[in-house]
């Protein structure tokens, strides 16, 4: 019996040492120490031993059980430690790897150009004013000296909420709103979104943007108008830029003009961009009509002023060489991420 016990112990210890995972160890435990295990079987045969042998064999059997149990538990620990070490190795994080940068958005080209324009005028002492996009017919037309049935309304067809309320066709109505509230000196620009019921194509959009300007004070002349707008053109398009003023007509200014700048692309020699004229039309302007000052509750005998209005979209397209206004509104990331 002693040999059998020794043999069981050696076999058990050998297979414990060879075990690779905790499942193996559990099988070994059942095989030797379980209810039907080999050691248990042997102990069942103890009854057949002599009274002298019994305590000796009992002791030995307990020793064998203890050896197997302690070898089992130390092997369990070893396997657990190995598994942990393996996990730590596999799941380790290299904190020195460069991180994934979140991609930052950028400013829309219209916003960038508006910021540039605003900076130029702020530098000349202008303030920024804003007006509503849903506007009264009165401010959009009437008070700008464009009565009902005036032909100038034809070129500014828009979206009507009702007879008297519409989506503004230009930023000019804010001139009146500011004059009503503020007495001269007035020196403002008014950036904003405007609407016209135009069909969409490369140069037309029912929604676009304008920047209005208004200066009212004593002794304001056409010389002030030309000086301010010439400085603006040079700051915006470069010091070499020349300007020219062509007579024009707007109901709310008298006299009125359109201002051209020498073509940014060819510097005035003529190219495809300027249709070989060397000039690019950039804005409308004029001396504020006395009737418009009156609508703004300003005395035309004491004060005079000039006003101007330009299309932000057209200027942005000029600066960036964009040939289709629709690109500004499609929100195509491939287009926008170029700016
Ligand atoms: N409101 C005009 C338009 O949308 C542009 C304009 C022309 C504004 C002359 C002005 C101005 O203030 O003086 O076509």
């Amino acid at each position: 019996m002693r040999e059998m016990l020794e043999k069981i112990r050696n076999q058990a210890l050998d297979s414990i040492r060879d075990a690779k995972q905790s499942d193996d160890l559990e099988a070994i435990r059942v095989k030797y120490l379980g209810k039907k295990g080999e050691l248990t079987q042997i102990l069942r045969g103890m009854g057949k031993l002599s009274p002298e042998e019994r305590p000796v064999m009992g002791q030995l059997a307990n020793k064998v059980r203890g050896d197997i149990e302690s070898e089992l538990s130390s092997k369990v620990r070893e396997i657990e430690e190995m598994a942990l070490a393996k996990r730590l190795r596999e799941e380790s994080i290299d904190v020195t790897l460069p991180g994934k940068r979140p991609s930052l958005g950028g400013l829309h080209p219209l916003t960038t150009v508006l910021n540039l324009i605003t900076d130029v005028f702020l530098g000349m002492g202008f303030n920024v004013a804003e007006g509503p996009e849903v506007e009264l017919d009165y401010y959009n037309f009437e008070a700008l000296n464009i009565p009902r049935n005036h032909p100038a309304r034809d070129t500014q067809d828009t979206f009507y909420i009702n007879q008297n309320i519409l989506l503004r066709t230009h930023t000019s109505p804010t001139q009146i709103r500011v004059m009503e509230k503020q007495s001269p000196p007035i020196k403002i620009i008014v950036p904003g979104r405007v609407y016209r019921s135009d069909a969409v194509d490369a140069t037309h959009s029912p929604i676009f943007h304008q920047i209005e300007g208004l200066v009212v004070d004593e002794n304001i002349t056409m010389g002030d108008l030309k000086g301010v707008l010439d400085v603006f053109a040079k700051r915006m398009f470069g010091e070499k830029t020349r300007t020219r003023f062509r007579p024009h007509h707007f109901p709310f200014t008298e006299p009125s003009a359109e201002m051209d700048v020498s073509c940014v692309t060819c510097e005035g020699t003529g190219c495809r961009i300027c249709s070989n004229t060397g000039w690019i039309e950039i804005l409308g302007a004029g001396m504020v009509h006395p009737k418009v000052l009156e609508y703004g509750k300003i005395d035309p005998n004491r004060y005079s002023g000039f006003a101007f209005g330009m299309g932000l979209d057209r200027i942005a397209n000029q600066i960036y060489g964009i040939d289709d206004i629709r690109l500004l509104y499609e929100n195509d990331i491939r287009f926008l991420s170029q700016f």
Side-chain angles (χ1 to χ4, degrees):
M1 185 163 226
R2 178 184 292 275
E3 293 85 66
M4 280 174 72
L5 284 170
E6 300 277 343
K7 197 177 149 210
I8 286 175
R9 175 175 53 197
N10 293 339
Q11 277 179 354
L13 296 187
D14 279 351
S15 48
I16 289 169
R17 268 176 224 121
D18 290 346
K20 292 275 179 297
Q21 47 195 0
S22 42
D23 284 356
D24 298 345
L25 292 175
E26 180 55 17
I28 292 166
R29 196 190 62 75
V30 171
K31 180 167 184 233
Y32 293 101
L33 308 178
K35 270 189 190 142
K36 293 176 188 157
E38 291 184 17
L39 191 62
T40 320
Q41 298 293 342
I42 300 247
L43 291 175
R44 290 233 172 89
M46 291 276 278
K48 290 180 202 133
L49 293 175
S50 67
E52 299 81 44
E53 268 184 323
R54 223 176 278 160
V56 181
M57 285 305 135
Q59 233 179 13
L60 181 60
N62 279 336
K63 172 108 184 13
V64 168
R65 168 180 285 274
D67 288 351
I68 294 175
E69 277 174 349
S70 74
E71 191 67 18
L72 270 174
S73 60
S74 74
K75 187 73 182 185
V76 165
R77 232 176 299 122
E78 186 183 310
I79 287 178
E80 278 171 358
E81 276 163 17
M82 271 167 54
L84 179 63
K86 183 162 174 263
R87 261 183 60 199
L88 287 176
R89 227 182 304 116
E90 286 173 357
E91 295 176 11
S92 70
I93 296 167
D94 182 350
V95 292
T96 67
L97 276 176
K100 285 187 189 145
R101 282 182 188 283
S103 61
L104 286 181
L107 293 180
H108 192 280
L110 285 176
T111 306
T112 304
V113 173
L114 175 57
N115 289 345
L116 287 172
I117 295 174
T118 306
D119 277 353
V120 172
F121 284 106
L122 289 183
M124 291 194 273
F126 282 69
N127 287 315
V128 176
E130 283 186 339
E133 290 172 27
V134 181
E135 184 55 285
L136 294 173
D137 183 284
Y138 173 78
Y139 287 108
N140 196 82
F141 293 127
E142 290 283 328
L144 289 167
N145 201 26
I146 313 171
R148 271 181 214 278
N149 304 318
H150 191 288
R153 290 200 178 203
D154 292 350
T155 58
Q156 302 204 4
D157 193 16
T158 183
F159 305 93
Y160 284 83
I161 311 298
N162 61 35
Q163 275 271 307
N164 300 315
I165 303 173
L166 45 75
L167 298 186
R168 67 177 177 189
T169 58
H170 48 181
T171 42
S172 305
T174 311
Q175 287 189 30
I176 309 291
R177 289 180 172 274
V178 170
M179 285 190 282
E180 279 179 347
K181 288 215 185 71
Q182 193 186 324
S183 45
I186 294 171
K187 231 174 149 182
I188 52 151
I189 54 165
V190 184
R193 196 172 287 140
V194 300
Y195 303 81
R196 291 189 195 177
S197 69
D198 287 335
V200 176
D201 65 23
T203 55
H204 292 86
S205 163
I207 301 175
F208 57 106
H209 300 81
Q210 287 187 340
I211 299 159
E212 193 79 11
L214 176 68
V215 173
V216 183
D217 203 351
E218 288 175 351
N219 304 316
I220 296 293
T221 69
M222 190 92 184
D224 297 306
L225 180 158
K226 292 183 74 174
V228 165
L229 293 178
D230 189 71
V231 167
F232 162 71
K234 288 183 164 52
R235 297 265 158 84
M236 218 38 219
F237 301 106
E239 286 304 313
K240 281 197 211 150
T241 307
R242 284 164 294 125
T243 54
R244 77 174 182 188
F245 292 80
R246 284 178 288 100
H248 201 77
H249 172 262
F250 298 104
F252 35 90
T253 46
E254 181 59 35
S256 305
E258 278 187 333
M259 184 178 90
D260 298 338
V261 295
S262 51
C263 179
V264 191
T265 310
C266 65
E267 295 188 348
T269 54
C271 68
R272 196 175 55 86
I273 304 288
C274 58
S275 310
N276 279 312
T277 61
W279 296 97
I280 286 168
E281 183 215 315
I282 220 79
L283 54 79
M287 299 307 292
V288 182
H289 197 292
K291 275 173 108 173
V292 172
L293 289 174
E294 274 171 9
Y295 275 116
K297 311 210 167 27
I298 286 174
D299 179 2
N301 296 315
R302 180 167 172 204
Y303 295 105
S304 55
F306 69 85
F308 56 89
M310 62 185 104
L312 176 59
D313 312 72
R314 286 191 58 188
I315 294 179
N317 287 356
Q318 274 298 324
I319 288 177
Y320 292 120
I322 299 165
D323 59 6
D324 193 325
I325 192 174
R326 287 169 288 200
L327 290 164
L328 296 174
Y329 297 105
E330 283 168 349
N331 277 340
D332 187 330
I333 198 73
R334 292 167 301 179
F335 170 75
L336 293 175
S337 57
Q338 296 176 57
F339 299 94

